[in-house]
Amino acid sequence: MDYRGESEWIDIANKHWIGKTTKPRTDWIKSELWDTLERENFELRSLVLLENLQLLEKCLWPTYDDNASNYHVLLLALMVTVKRKEGLPVWNIFATAPANFSALFRRVLSLSLDDSVSTPLRTHLLSFLIAAFQSLDHGIVRKECAPLVSISVWHNLVSEKVRENKLDQHGQLRKAWRASNKRYEAADEITKARLRFERSWLFSSTMDFVNRLYKGQDSNAGAEGLTGYGQTVANPFPDNIMYCEKYIEFLTDLESQLPTRRYVNQLLLDLNLLALIKHSPAYNDDENGLLRDLFSLLRHFINFPINDHTGAQHSHAQVNDIHYESLARLQRVSLQHFKSKLTIFALANYGAIEKCSDLQGHLAVLSTAELVELCSSLGMRTAYPPLPSLIVDRLLLMEIILTVHEKRKTFEESVKDLNVLPTEVDLYEPSLLRNESYSGSRSLAIPKLNLQYLTIGDFLWRSFILYRCESFFEIRKDMEDIIKRLQPRYVGTRQSVQFDGFSRMALPISRPSVLEVSPPKVGFDQPASVKAEISLDQSSLAENIRREWDSLRPDDVIYLLAARPHDDPSLLTNGHSSHTIPSDLIFLRTAEVVQLLDENGRTLRDASNEQVNGHNHRPRLRRLVVNIDAAAYKEDEARKAQGKPDIYDSINVIVRRKGRENNFKQILQSIQSLTLSDVPVPSWLQEVFLGYGDPAGATYGQLPNRIQKIDFRDTFLDWEHLLDVFPGKSVEPSDGKKSPLRPPYVLETFSSENSIEARPSKKRRRDENKVTPSPAPVVKVSTYIPPETGPYFVDSPKINKVRFTRAQVDAILSGTQPGLTVIVGPPGTGKTDVATQIINNIYHDFPSQRTLLITHSNQALNQLFQKITKLDIDERHLLRLGHGEEDLETGVSYSKYGRVESFLDNRVHYLAEVDRLASSLGAPGAHGSSCETAGYFHSVYISPAWSKFWDSIQDPNVSVDEMISFFPFHIYFESAPQPLMPPEASKERLIAIARGCQYHIEKIFKELEDIRPFEILRNSRDKANYLLIKEARIIAMTSTHAAMRRQEIASLGFHYDNVVMEEAAQITEVENYIPLALQDPKDGELPLQRIVLCGDHLQNSPIIQNLAFRQYANLEQSLFLRLVRLGVPVITLDQQGRCRPSIAELYKWRYQNLGNLPNVLNSPEYSTGNAGFRYDFQFINVPEYRGVGETQPSPHFIQNLGEAEYAVAIYQYMRLLGYPASKISILTTYAGQRSLIRDVLGHRCKDNRLFGLPKIVTTVDKYQGEQNDYIILSLVRTTRVGYLRDIRRLTVALSRARLGLYILGRREVFESCYELREAFDRLLKHPTDSLALVPGELFPTVRKLQDEVAATEMTGVEHLGQYVYEMTQAKIAQLKGSVVPVVTRLSNGEEKTIGQGKIEEEEEEEEEEELEGPLQPQELEI
């Protein structure tokens, strides 16, 4: 924030708290802050500005005490809600004074019930409480929230009898009730008053909420001479509805987590809250659509089929039993009390009375008094505390009975009914449109991803709803953009439509021709398929766009639109605001591609590449065969049968979307099928996944199947390495041998610090008066001699050469053991190396187990896969699924079909080896003709030959020469390094060599045995599937591919035992979950043994574009982050080896005890300065360029021309000094700035050989997981911090550079930001914020980083531009052989003249380029 700007709030901040060293006074808060905000009606813009000015951190909280005014408290609550809306951390601010926070929280609770506080302010207080209940992972918050939802709220149940019935349902309930009463009785009067307030607060606030629903106006309206807080509302009714919406959101949050639901749910059921809401005038007002949608969400959670005390989800049968039991009780009571009127009802079957209409018809004969008697007999509440607006009438009583006894859909049935392919009705559904305009002030009727979930089914239901909403939102945006580009207009008499514009993603078409409508499948009422054909006219398309359309693949989703010119927009209201449905999009239908044909009806794969007169034939027509959405087609036919126009007659546009954006259908179907199938997580992970129980319960130290003895192979390089990583532990040889032992090492009964013991009970902790020091854990170590693997160099195993640190070894130990391992890997700490070593250990120690490897991106998967291929893992056991495999730099294809081809290639090689073996043994016959004959040859010739050899050397008197002569395969191994068996070798050595030769030969036949199924299987698909389910032991794919192909993979019978997930913190939670469920359960449980999550929650989270889904619904939450918040033990890698220690200082404060590996301390490249730069990192202040800072040509497309020119000028300067372009990356925080920088580079550098282009120009978000030697970073913003205020994004930005980091930004905006303070205090440690250059140096320099050197400061982009221009001119003169010498000063002070020699004329012409003058950014058209 620029404190020098012009604003009333900035003036107040400068006056009272900015830059002040003394504690601010508070007597001005009412007059200068509160009164002004009140006059503005607490405008959000002002609140955000005050939050940016650090009102909370530097003024309100430091000055808060028991004497603080209510205005002070209200402002604190307002600032907390603003911070939450901005997605900023807030609760740690209060951790410094927990007692004060407790007092503040109680005052917020009191004010939330205070009638003198206006409705809008009470809505803000509710937002504060909602934020608190969503942050139960913070101890100070949990302490204050827990009493409000404890069992003591049952004091408010309708009667003692009802409460006793509930307490009898579970033994722990009565125990908790007694403890609560005992605590109350033992308290003093002040504490008793607090306890009474806490147990009655929820009941009182709910009754106030009900009163508002029925009153229909602000509770403060009509009062004269108001002296309360914030009562300036002109029209109170909308504020009252907003409060009610917010309160329903609050109750929904309480109901959606088991710890807060456990006792609250019974209270809400006792109050008949659902019936009260549904009967209220506010609910039945057509304008309040959002309130009704929120009610539906609350009803879903209140009625969720779960045991509130055990957390067990009810099965479908149990749900029916509970429902029928309630009906049976209603029938019994009816017969007992109203036999004369309800005999028929009491004798009816359940199916005849479970619908609302049937129930209502039967009970209509009862009078109001009789309905009251019926409710009382059923234990239902019929009397409420006196409320001015609530009247318990006949309609309400009937609603209460119906709400309890009606047949309700289960959440599984609701999910099954939701379509995964949208129509225009789905895209413009009011509840979906509200999500687009979310600003943080209103509630939304969408579920949230919480810290905890009720059940796995609940988690999947929420995920499905949110993912579906987000997918439809993105589709609607794409469709609107495409139609806008097409520019439809009427032709003639408005009967036909012509398109004046163009979109590469759309083509005008005529009516689709329906070819076949298949009859419905059994149990369905819609057609099994609707096949249609669409003609695509490609005659006007450019070649590259035509190829894009020709790349449509089977199962791709395409969109059929009915578009018309934009006339008068239709309005669709959501209850509070109007959303315009563009009249240019009338209908939308989806279809899936079956095949793409050429104009002659041949598939494109079969079509010949015809030439006409020596030129390639330009295709004009394509015929696209598709399956139209059958459900929508059925409704369209019904619509047509009613005499309405045929929708397909108006279809005139076909639209495609990019592949990654268009995979929503498969992912939604995967989530939907999982929700319906109830696939469980492993039992050992269940409670931890849902967020209950012991957070350490899934770690290997708490599991009964912990492995006591593990071979860690090449994890440890030597004995000293082993001792280094176990400090404080006793490392002893297990077999009595003297240390040091040589690797490989087998570790027994080791104890890791990350193995957390179960927490003792409170009573045991009270009884423990003395702490007995435990002896140092003992690590028993044994070793062995690895078996020989053959005489050839290729037979030698690949050995790990990474000297793992102590933390890395802890992670490898935990990951090799069964259970859950969570590894936090700060930038450059080698988490990929750790993951690959875990995979290597599992591969060798558990040869029957299979491992699934998951990453967020193809790029990360390729990086991980390339490291795996360098380990001692047989490549035939590696498989990579999905696209992106072509980018692997291995020269070997690891895709399904590539692996099959590799097997077949290996078959040829190994069969040739079999022939060579047969020839060496003189065995006649075609033994190498097939895998089958090779197996026969092995059993008849090879096995007997080895048996004879081993038998012949059993005699202890056999000599070395005899052993050599007995060996039957000398001829075969003639190509091996000789001598194969040295005569001077010992008998033990000769036996080892022979075993190595046997291993080599046996491997040939073992491989052929594995290849044999590929000889038998003829279909390529069958071969690929066999490879997946039988042969591959390490299967890698992205999380997106796993989500898309879940059903297909599971249906093949695919099984696996371990999951290793890289970039887990960047994967959405449902995409974290799906890879755990790619197989069908065995005996009701998924047979997973290990789950290893590697990531960094302090870097970027999953990218969610829509603000509502990102902030309100928390869709950006990853399983990794949630487990960390829950307190699951993590292993944090604590030494980085990527960048200079000085650059690491910029972000290491985010991590506890992050140190440096020896390579960054000792390697010369890290201690040498950057040629031409005074500093290895620097923040460079970029003032407004020609009076302009940031600009926004279109919404969210933010650019800064001054910083773009500055970044390109720095890049040009580096290239002129000799820096390789491949070692330079330019990053920015906004996509708009990325486009601008690319434009400037294209204008100044692209076609100039002196410069060329840097390795990459991209955004910070896209560059996570990557690195380069030198990074130029543009922060873009000049008015506010923007996205970078999320410190995770800044952490990524600061940790990408190895040797040099140069940051361009507006100093006064970023240095004052509270969240970025730690980083910018370090960034701005240099005495200047102008770019400091060292003239005369060339890359690479020999100057040490700490050497003092004279520097020249650039006063701005114009200065640097002129400097670069002059250097360029000198360089061109040098290349031309000009007499003008180029003089450079070396780091030792010596001047050197270079470039006076002549060059060849042709080379001179090739090198000469059209050069720009001094940088003139205004000439560049953007």
Side-chain angles (χ1 to χ4, degrees):
M1 176 60 62
D2 186 356
Y3 297 145
R4 297 171 296 182
E6 295 183 2
S7 167
E8 178 183 8
W9 301 118
I10 293 178
D11 294 339
I12 292 175
N14 287 325
K15 177 181 177 182
H16 291 290
W17 70 83
I18 297 298
K20 308 299 181 184
T21 56
T22 58
K23 188 176 181 179
R25 304 190 324 274
T26 59
D27 53 358
W28 54 272
I29 288 180
K30 169 68 168 65
S31 58
E32 297 188 42
L33 264 183
W34 183 265
D35 291 346
T36 307
L37 285 170
E38 193 173 35
R39 285 193 298 271
E40 295 182 351
N41 200 18
F42 301 95
E43 184 181 349
L44 182 60
R45 184 187 300 271
S46 295
L47 294 175
V48 171
L49 179 56
L50 286 169
E51 191 279 320
N52 285 332
L53 290 167
Q54 302 172 41
L55 173 65
L56 174 64
E57 298 89 348
K58 292 192 174 181
C59 178
L60 293 179
W61 184 240
T63 59
Y64 177 80
D65 55 31
D66 292 341
N67 299 319
S69 66
N70 284 343
Y71 304 106
H72 199 140
V73 174
L74 290 168
L75 283 172
L76 276 165
L78 284 170
M79 289 300 101
V80 169
T81 59
V82 171
K83 272 190 168 291
R84 292 288 297 182
K85 289 173 185 175
E86 295 284 305
L88 300 171
V90 62
W91 303 114
N92 289 336
I93 299 169
F94 301 106
T96 56
N100 279 352
F101 178 75
S102 182
L104 170 67
F105 198 89
R106 288 196 298 272
R107 290 188 66 177
V108 168
L109 292 175
S110 298
L111 287 171
S112 70
L113 298 176
D114 191 343
D115 288 337
S116 66
V117 179
S118 70
T119 299
L121 286 177
R122 290 176 71 173
T123 304
H124 283 297
L125 294 176
L126 261 183
S127 297
F128 175 92
L129 294 174
I130 288 172
F133 275 95
Q134 288 179 336
S135 307
L136 297 179
D137 51 318
H138 292 270
I140 60 169
V141 179
R142 184 170 60 250
K143 180 182 177 182
E144 304 305 323
C145 292
L148 303 179
V149 293
S150 69
I151 198 172
S152 62
V153 300
W154 282 7
H155 280 281
N156 302 290
L157 295 183
V158 62
S159 66
E160 185 77 20
K161 180 180 178 181
V162 171
R163 182 167 57 243
E164 287 299 315
N165 288 338
K166 292 301 298 180
L167 294 176
D168 289 339
Q169 290 180 2
H170 198 280
Q172 291 296 321
L173 292 177
R174 190 166 294 281
K175 183 178 179 181
W177 179 255
R178 289 172 181 159
S180 174
N181 288 337
K182 184 178 179 181
R183 187 164 51 252
Y184 177 81
E185 295 298 333
D188 55 32
E189 289 303 318
I190 296 177
T191 306
K192 283 183 177 180
R194 178 174 61 81
L195 292 175
R196 286 194 298 271
F197 173 77
E198 290 172 345
R199 74 192 188 192
S200 64
W201 178 86
L202 182 62
F203 178 82
S204 300
S205 62
T206 303
M207 286 296 96
D208 175 71
F209 159 69
V210 171
N211 186 48
R212 289 173 179 273
L213 285 173
Y214 281 81
K215 191 171 185 179
Q217 58 181 357
D218 194 292
S219 59
N220 303 319
E224 296 181 0
L226 295 175
T227 58
Y229 305 100
Q231 297 176 1
T232 61
V233 182
N235 181 7
F237 183 76
D239 292 330
N240 194 56
I241 294 300
M242 285 183 64
Y243 177 88
C244 292
E245 292 166 352
K246 188 65 69 174
Y247 197 83
I248 295 177
E249 178 194 346
F250 171 66
L251 293 179
T252 303
D253 284 353
L254 295 184
E255 287 282 344
S256 62
Q257 297 190 93
L258 193 58
T260 55
R261 169 196 178 90
R262 182 167 281 124
Y263 307 115
V264 169
N265 192 51
Q266 180 57 38
L267 177 61
L268 299 187
L269 291 173
D270 179 79
L271 289 172
N272 303 310
L273 186 64
L274 294 179
L276 289 173
I277 297 174
K278 194 172 182 181
H279 182 64
S280 67
Y283 177 88
N284 291 285
D285 188 336
D286 291 339
E287 294 293 317
N288 299 330
L290 175 57
L291 188 141
R292 286 191 294 275
D293 290 343
L294 286 165
F295 165 79
S296 298
L297 190 61
L298 174 63
R299 179 175 57 188
H300 163 84
F301 281 110
I302 287 181
N303 294 326
F304 193 85
I306 186 176
N307 186 311
D308 292 334
H309 309 296
T310 65
Q313 181 175 319
H314 295 150
S315 66
H316 186 69
Q318 288 174 318
V319 171
N320 285 333
D321 289 344
I322 293 171
H323 170 62
Y324 296 142
E325 174 57 32
S326 70
L327 287 178
R329 184 164 179 262
L330 176 61
Q331 288 178 313
R332 289 195 301 269
V333 171
S334 300
L335 187 62
Q336 179 180 357
H337 293 276
F338 311 104
K339 184 175 182 179
S340 61
K341 292 185 177 182
L342 296 179
T343 299
I344 296 177
F345 169 75
L347 299 177
N349 62 66
Y350 296 145
I353 62 174
E354 63 183 2
K355 294 181 180 178
C356 279
S357 57
D358 297 329
L359 271 174
Q360 194 167 8
H362 284 289
L363 299 179
V365 297
L366 300 180
S367 65
T368 301
E370 288 172 330
L371 285 174
V372 171
E373 182 183 354
L374 177 60
C375 289
S376 300
S377 301
L378 292 168
M380 297 178 181
R381 183 190 291 267
T382 58
Y384 294 90
L387 296 176
S389 55
L390 177 61
I391 300 174
V392 181
D393 56 13
R394 178 182 180 82
L395 292 177
L396 177 57
L397 292 170
M398 186 68 75
E399 189 64 54
I400 290 172
I401 296 174
L402 297 180
T403 301
V404 173
H405 297 96
E406 67 178 336
K407 177 71 172 178
R408 295 181 291 267
K409 274 187 177 182
T410 64
F411 73 92
E412 294 99 336
E413 292 169 337
S414 300
V415 166
K416 187 176 181 180
D417 291 342
L418 291 173
N419 57 313
V420 298
L421 292 174
T423 65
E424 77 285 348
V425 176
D426 299 310
L427 297 187
Y428 289 95
E429 185 182 355
S431 58
L432 184 61
L433 293 176
R434 289 191 208 103
N435 302 331
E436 182 182 352
S437 57
Y438 174 73
S439 64
S441 59
R442 302 297 295 269
S443 300
L444 294 176
I446 54 176
K448 301 176 183 177
L449 299 185
N450 291 340
L451 190 64
Q452 300 165 317
Y453 301 108
L454 299 178
T455 64
I456 298 297
D458 171 44
F459 160 70
L460 290 169
W461 176 83
R462 300 189 208 192
S463 300
F464 178 80
I465 298 297
L466 291 174
Y467 196 92
R468 180 176 181 268
C469 288
E470 188 200 21
S471 299
F472 287 8
F473 163 79
E474 293 175 351
I475 291 170
R476 180 166 60 83
K477 284 298 183 186
D478 286 347
M479 298 304 111
E480 290 178 352
D481 177 68
I482 286 170
I483 293 180
K484 182 179 179 181
R485 292 174 183 272
L486 288 176
Q487 301 174 22
R489 69 177 177 87
Y490 283 121
V491 177
T493 59
R494 302 171 65 91
Q495 294 300 314
S496 62
V497 175
Q498 180 174 311
F499 298 96
D500 293 339
F502 172 76
S503 172
R504 68 189 304 154
M505 309 303 291
L507 283 176
I509 60 171
S510 57
R511 186 191 195 281
S513 301
V514 177
L515 303 178
E516 179 185 4
V517 180
S518 302
K521 295 181 179 178
V522 177
F524 293 87
D525 59 355
Q526 65 190 38
S529 65
V530 181
K531 186 173 292 187
E533 184 176 277
I534 303 168
S535 296
L536 307 180
D537 183 1
Q538 297 185 345
S539 58
S540 61
L541 297 182
E543 180 65 21
N544 61 324
I545 299 177
R546 184 187 63 79
R547 283 198 299 267
E548 291 176 4
W549 280 97
D550 285 349
S551 65
L552 285 173
R553 296 173 298 173
D555 299 329
D556 281 354
V557 177
I558 53 99
Y559 306 85
L560 307 175
L561 311 183
R564 73 181 183 193
H566 187 80
D567 291 333
D568 296 329
S570 305
L571 295 180
L572 182 66
T573 62
N574 67 358
H576 302 294
S577 59
S578 295
H579 289 274
T580 301
I581 296 183
S583 59
D584 44 14
L585 174 57
I586 309 304
F587 300 114
L588 179 143
R589 295 294 178 266
T590 53
E592 293 182 80
V593 175
V594 176
Q595 61 179 343
L596 185 61
L597 309 175
D598 66 4
E599 52 197 349
N600 298 315
R602 296 172 296 182
T603 60
L604 291 190
R605 183 179 300 177
D606 300 331
S608 60
N609 187 16
E610 299 178 2
Q611 291 191 347
V612 179
N613 296 327
H615 298 281
N616 287 335
H617 171 62
R618 182 181 181 86
R620 296 179 55 86
L621 189 67
R622 292 285 188 251
R623 295 162 58 187
L624 185 64
V625 181
V626 299
N627 279 329
I628 295 176
D629 179 10
Y633 184 83
K634 173 180 173 291
E635 294 180 2
D636 295 337
E637 289 298 295
R639 185 177 184 271
K640 188 169 67 171
Q642 297 172 2
K644 297 180 181 179
D646 187 351
I647 287 176
Y648 297 94
D649 286 339
S650 58
I651 296 292
N652 55 5
V653 177
I654 182 173
V655 175
R656 61 185 174 88
R657 298 173 74 216
K658 295 179 180 177
R660 186 171 180 83
E661 301 168 354
N662 206 36
N663 52 30
F664 71 97
K665 177 179 178 287
Q666 296 98 320
I667 297 177
L668 280 174
Q669 286 179 333
S670 293
I671 304 173
Q672 190 179 46
S673 66
L674 284 171
T675 308
L676 299 177
S677 61
D678 193 28
V679 175
V681 297
S683 57
W684 54 268
L685 183 66
Q686 174 98 5
E687 287 193 354
V688 172
F689 183 90
L690 294 177
Y692 311 124
D694 182 8
T699 55
Y700 74 89
Q702 303 298 316
L703 298 181
N705 60 338
R706 174 179 173 180
I707 301 171
Q708 298 297 321
K709 184 175 181 180
I710 296 180
D711 182 359
F712 284 95
R713 295 176 52 79
D714 55 356
T715 302
F716 308 102
L717 303 187
D718 49 46
W719 185 259
E720 183 181 356
H721 184 199
L722 190 65
L723 296 178
D724 288 344
V725 298
F726 289 114
K729 295 182 175 65
S730 177
V731 181
E732 303 174 358
S734 61
D735 50 6
K737 293 183 180 179
K738 294 183 179 180
S739 58
L741 303 179
R742 298 184 62 182
Y745 299 119
V746 178
L747 271 59
E748 305 174 52
T749 62
F750 57 85
S751 177
S752 171
E753 292 180 359
N754 295 285
S755 174
I756 298 179
E757 298 295 331
R759 193 181 185 194
S761 66
K762 291 183 179 179
K763 184 176 185 302
R764 180 174 296 180
R765 294 200 302 271
R766 287 196 300 267
D767 294 341
E768 289 177 351
N769 297 322
K770 296 182 180 180
V771 178
T772 305
S774 57
V778 176
V779 179
K780 296 182 179 180
V781 183
S782 59
T783 187
Y784 60 92
I785 299 175
E788 292 283 344
T789 55
Y792 296 97
F793 292 119
V794 294
D795 292 328
S796 301
K798 301 172 185 176
I799 302 298
N800 163 60
K801 297 180 181 178
V802 178
R803 196 174 190 86
F804 293 111
T805 66
R806 177 187 177 189
Q808 289 174 324
V809 168
D810 279 344
I812 294 169
L813 296 180
S814 178
T816 308
Q817 287 277 2
L820 174 66
T821 299
V822 181
I823 303 170
V824 177
T829 52
K831 58 180 176 289
T832 304
D833 290 323
V834 169
T836 53
Q837 189 62 32
I838 291 172
I839 293 169
N840 190 32
N841 288 348
I842 294 173
Y843 175 84
H844 289 284
D845 290 345
F846 310 99
S848 63
Q849 295 186 12
R850 313 177 79 203
T851 299
L852 185 64
L853 180 57
I854 301 291
T855 67
H856 168 62
S857 63
N858 280 307
Q859 189 174 13
L861 189 59
N862 288 340
Q863 291 174 351
L864 189 57
F865 220 67
Q866 283 168 192
K867 290 199 173 187
I868 290 175
T869 59
K870 297 177 181 178
L871 299 176
D872 188 30
I873 294 176
D874 195 330
E875 68 175 31
R876 67 195 173 101
H877 292 144
L878 297 174
L879 177 63
R880 189 196 188 290
L881 301 181
H883 297 286
E885 191 267 344
E886 59 272 9
D887 297 327
L888 273 172
E889 299 174 359
T890 59
V892 179
S893 175
Y894 292 95
S895 66
K896 277 200 295 186
Y897 295 103
R899 287 287 79 211
V900 170
E901 292 175 3
S902 176
F903 267 82
L904 297 178
D905 290 342
N906 290 342
R907 171 183 176 274
V908 174
H909 168 72
Y910 287 128
L911 290 178
E913 290 297 298
V914 171
D915 283 335
R916 199 161 68 84
L917 265 172
S919 175
S920 69
L921 295 177
H927 301 292
S929 61
S930 68
C931 296
E932 183 179 5
T933 59
Y936 174 80
F937 171 71
H938 177 266
S939 60
V940 173
Y941 290 93
I942 302 299
S943 293
W946 280 115
S947 297
K948 181 179 179 180
F949 170 73
W950 293 118
D951 290 342
S952 63
I953 64 172
Q954 291 299 316
D955 186 354
N957 298 321
V958 67
S959 66
V960 169
D961 291 337
E962 289 174 327
M963 290 179 66
I964 295 175
S965 65
F966 291 154
F967 186 69
F969 298 102
H970 282 292
I971 297 176
Y972 174 75
F973 285 108
E974 282 180 348
S975 58
Q978 299 296 325
L980 177 65
M981 292 184 166
E984 67 276 9
S986 64
K987 291 183 180 181
E988 291 76 11
R989 178 58 187 156
L990 291 178
I991 291 174
I993 293 173
R995 293 198 181 279
C997 292
Q998 185 177 16
Y999 179 90
H1000 178 91
I1001 292 175
E1002 293 298 323
K1003 182 181 177 182
I1004 294 174
F1005 293 97
K1006 178 64 174 66
E1007 295 252 5
L1008 288 172
E1009 182 183 346
D1010 291 341
I1011 294 171
R1012 186 176 179 185
F1014 297 96
E1015 278 188 344
I1016 300 172
L1017 296 170
R1018 296 303 178 191
N1019 184 281
S1020 297
R1021 188 178 186 87
D1022 291 339
K1023 292 178 181 179
N1025 290 338
Y1026 178 86
L1027 176 70
L1028 171 64
I1029 64 177
K1030 292 293 185 182
E1031 189 63 30
R1033 288 178 51 197
I1034 298 174
I1035 303 96
M1037 67 186 78
T1038 64
S1039 57
T1040 302
H1041 185 84
M1044 291 172 58
R1045 302 297 181 188
R1046 189 265 160 192
Q1047 291 173 279
E1048 176 186 337
I1049 293 173
S1051 65
L1052 293 173
F1054 176 62
H1055 74 277
Y1056 52 99
D1057 307 274
N1058 315 294
V1059 175
V1060 178
M1061 204 172 296
E1062 258 273 41
E1063 293 183 324
Q1066 285 186 271
I1067 303 174
T1068 59
E1069 193 159 13
V1070 71
E1071 290 187 338
N1072 281 131
Y1073 174 80
I1074 291 176
L1076 308 183
L1078 286 183
Q1079 57 186 329
D1080 292 328
K1082 293 182 179 178
D1083 300 324
E1085 185 171 330
L1086 291 178
L1088 283 178
Q1089 297 196 32
R1090 294 173 187 80
I1091 298 173
V1092 181
L1093 303 179
C1094 304
D1096 184 4
H1097 59 291
L1098 299 181
Q1099 296 188 63
N1100 282 344
S1101 60
I1103 297 175
I1104 306 297
Q1105 298 295 340
N1106 185 280
L1107 184 66
F1109 302 127
R1110 184 173 68 247
Q1111 289 190 0
Y1112 183 87
N1114 203 21
L1115 189 55
E1116 68 171 359
Q1117 174 174 272
S1118 66
L1119 175 63
F1120 188 96
L1121 173 61
R1122 189 166 67 85
L1123 292 178
V1124 172
R1125 290 181 61 198
L1126 286 168
V1128 171
V1130 302
I1131 302 170
T1132 303
L1133 308 183
D1134 56 6
Q1135 293 189 53
Q1136 70 88 22
R1138 172 183 294 172
C1139 60
R1140 300 183 193 269
S1142 55
I1143 295 177
E1145 287 290 334
L1146 300 176
Y1147 61 85
K1148 67 185 297 184
W1149 59 274
R1150 290 274 287 157
Y1151 304 93
Q1152 189 175 6
N1153 303 321
L1154 181 61
N1156 300 298
L1157 288 170
N1159 69 301
V1160 300
L1161 298 174
N1162 305 324
S1163 177
E1165 70 171 336
Y1166 291 100
S1167 59
T1168 303
N1170 295 337
F1173 293 94
R1174 173 64 184 89
Y1175 305 110
D1176 55 339
F1177 71 87
Q1178 188 178 9
F1179 180 88
I1180 303 153
N1181 186 48
V1182 182
E1184 289 191 352
Y1185 182 69
R1186 298 187 180 276
V1188 178
E1190 68 177 68
T1191 58
Q1192 195 167 177
S1194 60
H1196 311 297
F1197 199 73
I1198 302 174
Q1199 299 180 331
N1200 186 321
L1201 183 57
E1203 288 188 17
E1205 292 284 8
Y1206 214 133
V1208 173
I1210 293 175
Y1211 168 72
Q1212 290 178 303
Y1213 172 73
M1214 296 177 72
R1215 293 290 290 127
L1216 290 170
L1217 295 186
Y1219 285 87
S1222 61
K1223 293 184 178 294
I1224 306 170
S1225 296
I1226 302 180
L1227 306 184
T1228 180
T1229 50
Y1230 288 87
Q1233 185 73 348
R1234 175 190 60 192
S1235 298
L1236 181 58
I1237 292 173
R1238 287 175 176 174
D1239 285 344
V1240 177
L1241 283 167
H1243 191 62
R1244 302 197 181 282
C1245 304
K1246 181 178 179 181
D1247 297 324
N1248 192 322
R1249 293 189 184 181
L1250 287 179
F1251 305 122
L1253 294 177
K1255 181 176 182 180
I1256 193 171
V1257 179
T1258 188
T1259 60
V1260 171
D1261 290 348
K1262 296 290 186 181
Y1263 207 60
Q1264 180 164 340
E1266 298 297 307
Q1267 66 182 34
N1268 208 347
D1269 288 359
Y1270 306 96
I1271 297 293
I1272 303 169
L1273 173 64
S1274 170
L1275 301 183
V1276 186
R1277 302 306 296 267
T1278 59
T1279 58
R1280 57 194 297 266
V1281 175
Y1283 289 143
L1284 207 62
R1285 199 171 181 194
D1286 184 344
I1287 190 62
R1288 297 174 298 181
R1289 185 170 276 108
L1290 182 65
T1291 302
V1292 176
L1294 297 178
S1295 58
R1296 300 305 98 195
R1298 293 181 62 248
L1299 304 175
L1301 174 63
Y1302 301 98
I1303 302 175
L1304 306 169
R1306 185 68 58 85
R1307 176 171 182 164
E1308 56 267 24
V1309 170
F1310 292 95
E1311 72 174 332
S1312 59
C1313 178
Y1314 177 80
E1315 288 76 20
L1316 310 184
R1317 182 184 56 195
E1318 291 278 358
F1320 275 83
D1321 284 348
R1322 291 163 172 78
L1323 264 177
L1324 299 172
K1325 73 175 186 178
H1326 297 312
T1328 178
D1329 58 11
S1330 297
L1331 179 61
L1333 303 181
V1334 179
E1337 281 191 331
L1338 290 179
F1339 176 88
T1341 183
V1342 295
R1343 170 173 57 87
K1344 294 299 181 184
L1345 191 60
Q1346 65 273 18
D1347 291 349
E1348 292 294 332
V1349 62
T1352 299
E1353 293 186 12
M1354 299 292 106
T1355 58
V1357 63
E1358 297 91 342
H1359 187 185
L1360 179 61
Q1362 181 65 35
Y1363 192 79
V1364 169
Y1365 172 70
E1366 292 174 358
M1367 290 181 64
T1368 306
Q1369 293 290 69
K1371 184 71 172 179
I1372 292 298
Q1374 170 196 349
L1375 293 174
K1376 287 184 176 181
S1378 171
V1379 295
V1380 179
V1382 179
V1383 180
T1384 183
R1385 181 177 291 105
L1386 302 180
S1387 58
N1388 58 10
E1390 177 186 354
E1391 290 189 350
K1392 181 179 180 181
T1393 302
I1394 62 174
Q1396 288 189 357
K1398 290 283 185 179
I1399 60 176
E1400 296 295 329
E1401 194 68 25
E1402 289 184 0
E1403 293 181 8
E1404 179 182 329
E1405 292 177 358
E1406 290 177 358
E1407 293 290 345
E1408 186 173 357
E1409 303 287 344
E1410 181 182 350
L1411 297 175
E1412 305 290 332
L1415 291 179
Q1416 299 293 334
Q1418 71 276 10
E1419 296 176 359
L1420 181 59
E1421 303 220 354
I1422 302 301

